Amino acid sequence: MKISIPSPTWALLCMSWHLASLASATSTVYIKDSDTTFALNLPKDSEHVNFYMAVPDLYQYVAIGFGGSMDNMFTFIVYPNSNRDGVTLSPRLSTGRTEPVFYPQAEITLHDGTRLFNQTLFVNATCTKGCRTWPGGEIQVPNPAQAMSFALGPSYGAGSDDKEALLRRHQGYGSFGLDMVQASSTSFLELPPAGTSSGANLPKADVIKQDGTDKGATAHGVIFAIVALLCAPFDVLVAGALKKWPTLHMISSTIYLALVIGALVPGIQISRTYVMTQNFRTGHQILGLFTIVLMFVMAFWGIFLVIVKKGAKKRGEAPPEKSALLGKIHKYVGWLIWILFLINNGLGLKLADASRTFILGYAVMVGAVIVIMMPIYFIIWRCTRAKKDKEEAQELDNIYNHNYQNHHYENYSNQNQPPSYR
Ligand SMILES: *[C@@H]1O[C@H](CO)[C@@H](O)[C@H](O)[C@H]1NC(C)=O
Ligand SMILES: *[C@@H]1O[C@H](CO)[C@@H](O)[C@H](O)[C@H]1NC(C)=O
């Protein structure tokens, strides 16, 4: 028996097959510049989210987020485990341009195929709960162009088993659109050929925006290096040894204080960016803030001393006895502040995860400044000391001679033996 099918029917059959093959593909983006694949499937009438990632292990992490900006963004972040023989997947939320925070409400099951293989991190997973909506956002299921973002961590990372592992600032990021209609057209994940996109919309140019250094962090570090290696030693020198020039100390300490405030502002800004520093509880932050408070106290202390001394001078009196002690405290606390800044810069470099070479370089500079400073300070101290001793001796001599002359004829007992000082 011969079945004849009218040609329009053939055409229809072919067309529907073609449509089906298009629709069956999961929405997949392939970002060539970072050799990154992300595929998404949203089974109908389900809370589930099936997803797949294949990313090179060159980066500290790779993040794929739902949303066009980091405000209220839900993100899948993947990084190598601590042995670098598997992967860690961490669902996170971000609320602005800050480090995303682990979001345990997203319940994720990892399937076979999740592994680190051929220098590539593979994730084959289903989120069974909490990934379609989150505080401040949701996957817009009927949206043919859901705004998505991706980010690449800096190019080194030890790996971690911890889903709350600390993340450094991304070195590159970008955005794309993903078709949620296509993603929800099947109930399972089906990948297009490797290295191709399907149902994704990548920008034509500048797929990855470079974002290497945090300018605020650099400014914070550079200014504090100048403060601790130049300003503070100079000011300590001026304040301690060159007592003859109080105006110079006032100028240098004002510049010193201004730079510290100038470095503090970006410091606070970076602190807000990272989970670890948001509560101002790290040693570097505590010591830094303590030192700055101490510096302000010493600034007011110094101004108070100047006023007291000037007042006494105006009244033609000697400065109050206590002012000498207060001046000494002011001077030694100034030294302490300098030392605290030197130490705290080191803690800051550690907190910023600076390379060992960098920390060593800083230590060498600290050593050099101390080696240069010590003899200069000593020479100036000796010179002023010698001068002061001479002046004091002269003064005592005058007093003695004056007294001696006055009492010369009255005090017979000591006549032949002038009383010696001390
Ligand atoms: C992902 O896991 C599912 C369920 O175990 C499996 O059927 C599928 O083949 C896996 N896909 C890949 C790409 O490994
Ligand atoms: C390993 O990765 C490279 C580059 O991504 C690829 O060309 C190669 O086919 C992969 N090898 C295996 C065994 O999958």
Side-chain angles (χ1 to χ4, degrees):
M1 206 168 82
K2 200 178 163 198
I3 302 168
S4 77
I5 299 169
S7 51
T9 318
W10 273 119
L12 250 171
L13 273 174
C14 288
M15 226 171 95
S16 62
W17 178 83
H18 184 67
L19 281 175
S21 80
L22 250 187
S24 71
T26 305
S27 287
T28 303
V29 66
Y30 174 68
I31 302 155
K32 194 162 175 283
D33 295 349
S34 59
D35 194 18
T36 298
T37 304
F38 175 72
L40 186 75
N41 164 243
L42 305 165
K44 275 211 177 86
D45 308 317
S46 163
E47 229 189 304
H48 288 194
V49 173
N50 297 318
F51 62 100
Y52 171 89
M53 294 165 92
V55 310
D57 72 350
L58 305 169
Y59 309 101
Q60 189 202 4
Y61 60 88
V62 173
I64 304 279
F66 293 86
S69 81
M70 288 182 76
D71 299 325
N72 301 320
M73 178 189 277
F74 174 68
T75 310
F76 292 126
I77 295 181
V78 62
Y79 37 87
N81 69 0
S82 56
N83 291 333
R84 292 192 79 94
D85 60 2
V87 306
T88 304
L89 183 86
S90 169
R92 301 199 184 198
L93 285 187
S94 64
T95 52
R97 289 184 67 81
T98 57
E99 184 183 349
V101 181
F102 177 53
Y103 182 60
Q105 284 85 338
E107 292 173 12
I108 295 171
T109 309
L110 299 173
H111 302 306
D112 288 349
T114 299
R115 59 180 177 159
L116 202 171
F117 168 71
N118 191 22
Q119 289 157 351
T120 307
L121 304 168
F122 293 97
V123 175
N124 178 23
T126 299
C127 176
T128 52
K129 214 174 152 200
C131 292
R132 292 224 183 181
T133 62
W134 54 89
E138 59 174 357
I139 299 179
Q140 299 148 355
V141 174
N143 189 345
Q146 157 95 40
M148 303 285 295
S149 300
F150 67 93
L152 310 165
S155 57
Y156 92 85
S160 175
D161 298 335
D162 186 358
K163 289 184 177 151
E164 298 184 62
L166 299 171
L167 304 178
R168 294 163 65 85
R169 188 190 171 95
H170 46 58
Q171 68 166 29
Y173 65 94
S175 57
F176 58 92
L178 205 58
D179 186 347
M180 296 297 128
V181 179
Q182 180 174 319
S184 47
S185 63
T186 59
S187 56
F188 55 90
L189 207 129
E190 200 178 335
L191 295 170
T196 62
S197 290
S198 174
N201 209 336
L202 274 163
K204 294 270 182 299
D206 272 348
V207 177
I208 300 178
K209 296 189 182 80
Q210 298 296 327
D211 178 45
T213 52
D214 184 338
K215 291 194 185 79
T218 309
H220 176 77
V222 168
I223 300 174
F224 262 125
I226 292 171
V227 162
L229 297 174
L230 291 174
C231 282
F234 181 74
D235 186 60
V236 155
L237 195 74
V238 164
L242 307 177
K243 278 209 195 87
K244 287 270 133 62
W245 301 332
T247 322
L248 189 58
H249 172 51
M250 268 192 269
I251 293 169
S252 78
S253 60
T254 304
I255 294 170
Y256 180 9
L257 191 63
L259 284 176
V260 166
I261 296 167
L264 174 67
V265 172
I268 288 173
Q269 201 189 332
I270 326 155
S271 294
R272 292 222 183 104
T273 312
Y274 296 95
V275 174
M276 186 166 63
T277 52
Q278 268 160 5
N279 297 320
F280 290 89
R281 291 214 190 111
T282 67
H284 172 69
Q285 292 167 298
I286 294 168
L287 186 60
L289 291 173
F290 170 76
T291 309
I292 290 168
V293 168
L294 201 58
M295 204 177 167
F296 271 96
V297 171
M298 282 306 111
F300 287 114
W301 189 300
I303 292 166
F304 171 76
L305 271 179
V306 169
I307 293 170
V308 165
K309 280 185 187 166
K310 277 221 164 124
K313 203 170 170 188
K314 231 183 210 166
R315 292 191 300 273
E317 296 167 5
E321 224 174 282
K322 285 223 175 75
S323 71
L325 178 67
L326 291 180
K328 259 201 182 128
I329 294 174
H330 180 79
K331 181 175 120 182
Y332 289 123
V333 173
W335 276 86
L336 178 68
I337 289 171
W338 176 34
I339 291 164
L340 292 181
F341 275 137
L342 285 176
I343 293 169
N344 207 36
N345 280 358
L347 295 183
L349 287 173
K350 279 217 81 163
L351 184 63
D353 224 352
S355 68
R356 198 168 292 175
T357 325
F358 213 89
I359 294 179
L360 209 69
Y362 174 72
V364 167
M365 283 204 281
V366 170
V369 168
I370 290 172
V371 165
I372 295 168
M373 275 283 296
M374 282 305 164
I376 296 178
Y377 190 87
F378 184 72
I379 289 165
I380 294 177
W381 177 76
R382 275 303 290 266
C383 290
T384 51
R385 193 53 190 254
K387 214 167 142 197
K388 205 168 118 193
D389 280 352
K390 214 167 144 192
E391 278 168 10
E392 264 171 19
Q394 195 100 46
E395 220 167 288
L396 285 166
D397 203 33
N398 288 344
I399 293 167
Y400 163 71
N401 283 335
H402 181 69
N403 287 345
Y404 182 70
Q405 276 155 17
N406 278 353
H407 304 292
H408 190 240
Y409 301 104
E410 292 160 22
N411 194 346
Y412 294 100
S413 60
N414 280 344
Q415 199 175 5
N416 298 325
Q417 252 188 329
S420 67
Y421 178 58
R422 277 176 228 251

